[in-house]
């Protein structure tokens, strides 16, 4: 069983910064992609940023230049540094990982979500 524990959400003023982290635990053989998604009420969950096992990153257009995703493979942790935050970044942020257990199969897991509120 894989567990994801997120931390770092909260309230921040527009223009401020906030960092999120998500640590994976469990008997994991390989971690493929690690990503952050977000979802606001009434909207579909959307990809914010992703990083592959090789370090290649991908960002939503709305956060390019403001957010930075990174991962620590030893700590099995993915980070999201959010700068120049805007009110429209307000959402619940979810960590997502795709892992393997030594077989060709891959499995996807989600964190519990952490609230980020950008407001003055």
């Amino acid at each position: 069983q894989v567990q994801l524990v997120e931390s770092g959400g909260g309230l921040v003023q527009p223009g401020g910064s906030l960092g999120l982290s998500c640590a994976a635990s469990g008997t994991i053989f390989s971690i493929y992609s690690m990503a952050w998604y977000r979802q606001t009420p009434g909207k579909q969950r959307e990809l914010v940023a992703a990083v592959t096992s090789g370090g290649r990153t991908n960002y939503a257009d709305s956060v390019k230049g403001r957010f930075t995703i990174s991962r620590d493979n030893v700590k099995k942790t993915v980070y999201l540094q959010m700068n120049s935050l805007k009110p429209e970044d307000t959402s619940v942020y979810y960590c997502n990982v795709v892992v393997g257990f030594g077989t060709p199969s891959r499995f996807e897991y989600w964190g519990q979500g952490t609230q980020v509120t950008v407001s003055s």
Side-chain angles (χ1 to χ4, degrees):
Q1 185 71 10
V2 174
Q3 290 189 328
L4 301 177
V5 178
E6 301 174 13
S7 60
L11 173 64
V12 63
Q13 292 187 342
S17 298
L18 205 59
L20 305 180
S21 64
C22 171
S25 63
T27 307
I28 302 170
F29 187 81
S30 301
I31 299 180
Y32 298 106
S33 66
M34 305 183 84
W36 290 94
Y37 287 73
R38 66 187 181 188
Q39 187 171 24
T40 53
K43 294 187 177 181
Q44 284 191 329
R45 190 170 295 188
E46 63 173 356
L47 176 68
V48 176
V51 57
T52 68
S53 57
R56 188 172 70 246
T57 58
N58 180 44
Y59 295 93
D61 288 342
S62 59
V63 306
K64 282 181 181 177
R66 300 188 297 121
F67 291 11
T68 302
I69 190 170
S70 61
R71 60 189 281 172
D72 184 325
N73 292 323
V74 174
K75 295 181 178 180
K76 300 178 184 176
T77 300
V78 60
Y79 306 93
L80 185 69
Q81 179 62 39
M82 303 181 291
N83 299 327
S84 303
L85 282 160
K86 304 176 181 180
E88 51 263 43
D89 294 317
T90 296
S91 190
V92 178
Y93 285 70
Y94 295 91
C95 172
N96 172 281
V97 298
V98 176
V99 306
F101 300 105
T103 72
S105 299
R106 299 189 179 192
F107 302 85
E108 183 178 44
Y109 293 89
W110 292 91
Q112 78 280 7
T114 185
Q115 177 70 46
V116 172
T117 302
V118 185
S119 175
S120 56

